[in-house]
Amino acid sequence: MSSRRSFLLAGGLGLGTAGVGFAAHAAGSDKPTSGDHDAGSPNPAFHGTNQAGIVENPRAASTAVALDLTCTNRSELTDFFKALTDRARALTTTGIFDDQANGVASAPADSGTLGDSSPRDGLAITVGVGSSLFDERFGLEHKKPRRLIPMETFDGDRLKDDLRDGDLSLIISADGRDTVLHALRDILRNTRGAATLRWKQDGFTSTPRPQGTPRNHFGFKDGISNPDTSDADTMNNLVWARDADQPWTAGGSYQVIRLIQMFSEFWDRISLTEQNNIFGRDRSTGAPLDGSKETDEPKYVDDPRGSVVPLTAHMRLANPRTDATAHQRIIRRAFNYENGMNANGDLDLGQVFVCYQSDIAGQFSTIQKRLSEDPLNDYISHIGGGYFLALPGVRDAHDFFARSLMT
């Protein structure tokens, strides 16, 4: 038995289950969805047809992580997914760890950074797989979803090789930053020898001010309009994977992660009127420029020349709100980031744009191409991220991540 697999069996499965961009304003119902919540609301369920973190909004603290797998064969990969499931289940359900489980002379089972028992804090762990997982290493080429490709480069992108793609993605979100870091640390510890970090970006969701949708670093409410997650037909048509030739993806969703750098110093020097026209919304209220509140639907049909909401406004380019573009709607789950300062001495601010859909090419990519003439592009730069398939949910205590793929 290889050292990697031995570690997984001893360190991961052996612990038991004591107890896982600005690029588009999604269209659809402006009503609060079933995933909307404030910090302190009930913890999302771990077991289910779909993973937590897709229907639910991001919590106060989040991190996006990409991993490269160092497993050498399919058996080791299966052990990795089982160990990952074991840790995610324990972290999101009981959060109780027996530090003496491996004997008094062994290292404790938990880092202890959250105390003797770990508060769940609404913790959700969403796992995705990238197209590179389906190369020759594991014999999974024939199971690759046909809609899953490496991340594309669009006009104006400045993608960095060390910040893009990956075999696996993790989106970890909770009410406490320490809870997010504790979960990531636990997962990495218990899958060591099978996976390594490729890139990582921490972030946060701002408190709604004064109410409604949280704001981005440019001061605008971000992600006001999302499809109604309580409508099963809408979710099936827009969000859940529907690859007829890959039935194992049922219950999953195609995930786009984009790391978007925001040039706040440049943005802060333009007038409020120009800022409003670039977004197509009033910065204070979040309302479209032809409305009075953030939930108002813009009346583009009454404004064909863009006299009120400019034709080049970000929200209008991203979502023209026509019958022909209705099937392009996506679910946004973005959060902000702050990385100190850059080499030029400017604040390093940005957004981790995350969205879910049934078809990346037909939804996200189509929207992104429409945004090529977006004036907002002068104030942002896409520097990293990746395309992934968020795996189907773990159905019960006997199931594990990617079981339908590995069997």
Side-chain angles (χ1 to χ4, degrees):
M1 183 180 296
S2 72
S3 60
R4 290 188 183 91
R5 190 178 183 199
S6 297
F7 185 90
L8 286 172
L9 290 173
L13 299 178
L15 290 177
T17 58
V20 183
F22 285 106
H25 279 289
S29 170
D30 276 324
K31 300 180 295 181
T33 69
S34 61
D36 293 341
H37 57 70
D38 297 319
S41 63
N43 294 280
F46 177 73
H47 292 132
T49 303
N50 317 114
Q51 288 193 71
I54 299 175
V55 170
E56 299 85 5
N57 284 323
R59 311 292 284 219
S62 299
T63 193
V65 174
L67 301 174
D68 284 333
L69 294 172
T70 54
C71 310
T72 59
N73 56 58
R74 192 159 171 173
S75 179
E76 289 182 7
L77 180 61
T78 300
D79 286 339
F80 165 78
F81 279 123
K82 289 180 178 179
L84 177 59
T85 306
D86 184 71
R87 302 319 310 144
R89 181 186 287 118
L91 289 161
T92 59
T93 53
T94 66
I96 299 173
F97 304 92
D98 181 3
D99 283 339
Q100 303 302 324
N102 299 325
V104 295
S106 300
D110 182 61
S111 65
T113 58
L114 298 183
D116 293 336
S117 63
S118 303
R120 288 175 288 163
D121 283 346
L123 179 66
I125 301 171
T126 310
V127 180
V129 293
S131 62
S132 57
L133 183 74
F134 299 90
D135 59 19
E136 70 284 351
R137 288 172 294 171
F138 309 116
L140 297 173
E141 299 96 320
H142 65 292
K143 287 195 171 185
K144 180 181 178 180
R146 60 188 176 88
R147 291 185 173 94
L148 183 61
I149 60 174
M151 188 171 67
E152 303 162 272
T153 301
F154 297 96
D155 291 344
D157 284 358
R158 300 176 183 174
L159 301 177
K160 302 177 181 180
D161 288 341
D162 60 346
L163 290 178
R164 62 180 299 177
D165 299 318
D167 291 333
L168 196 88
S169 69
L170 296 175
I171 302 291
I172 305 176
S173 188
D175 291 333
R177 174 73 197 114
D178 53 351
T179 301
V180 171
L181 181 57
H182 171 268
L184 177 60
R185 187 172 167 184
D186 181 279
I187 289 170
L188 293 177
R189 170 183 174 176
N190 286 284
T191 58
R192 186 169 310 194
T196 60
L197 279 172
R198 181 177 178 87
W199 54 262
K200 171 178 174 285
Q201 180 58 64
D202 301 326
F204 61 92
T205 300
S206 300
T207 300
R209 300 182 188 279
Q211 59 188 5
T213 306
R215 298 177 186 268
N216 59 38
H217 286 305
F218 287 164
F220 282 78
K221 297 187 176 188
D222 197 279
I224 290 172
S225 179
N226 264 325
D228 184 358
T229 60
S230 67
D231 187 311
D233 288 339
T234 295
M235 295 295 286
N236 287 332
N237 290 332
L238 298 178
V239 179
W240 304 128
R242 54 175 185 265
D243 277 336
D245 60 336
Q246 294 294 357
W248 72 264
T249 65
S253 181
Y254 288 95
Q255 177 193 72
V256 170
I257 305 175
R258 297 274 280 182
L259 307 182
I260 305 174
Q261 187 176 18
M262 301 169 65
F263 307 128
S264 59
E265 284 83 356
F266 190 16
W267 178 261
D268 291 343
R269 289 178 172 84
I270 65 176
S271 71
L272 180 59
T273 298
E274 186 174 357
Q275 291 180 2
N276 287 345
N277 284 334
I278 288 174
F279 273 99
R281 291 186 180 273
D282 179 83
R283 191 179 74 171
S284 177
T285 65
L289 295 180
D290 61 359
S292 59
K293 56 184 183 298
E294 67 177 78
T295 54
D296 286 346
E297 281 283 334
K299 303 176 183 66
Y300 297 150
V301 68
D302 298 331
D303 185 26
R305 296 185 179 181
S307 301
V308 182
V309 181
L311 299 179
T312 58
H314 177 75
M315 65 175 292
R316 190 162 187 165
L317 289 173
N319 179 16
R321 286 173 165 78
T322 66
D323 291 342
T325 60
H327 68 283
Q328 298 166 4
R329 292 175 293 164
I330 57 177
I331 272 197
R332 294 172 53 100
R333 295 295 180 237
F335 51 91
N336 300 322
Y337 75 77
E338 187 272 320
N339 287 341
M341 59 183 281
N342 59 29
N344 297 323
D346 296 326
L347 292 173
D348 188 354
L349 304 178
Q351 182 184 82
V352 181
F353 173 84
V354 183
C355 71
Y356 295 94
Q357 58 260 287
S358 300
D359 182 355
I360 293 175
Q363 292 170 269
F364 170 79
S365 294
T366 297
I367 296 170
Q368 187 64 29
K369 291 171 184 175
R370 200 159 54 231
L371 289 167
S372 62
E373 301 301 321
D374 187 354
L376 187 61
N377 293 336
D378 290 338
Y379 305 91
I380 63 175
S381 180
H382 298 85
I383 59 174
Y387 293 172
F388 304 90
L389 175 79
L391 291 168
V394 177
R395 302 298 184 100
D396 53 40
H398 303 290
D399 197 10
F400 61 89
F401 285 126
R403 182 173 184 174
S404 54
L405 167 63
M406 303 306 298
T407 56

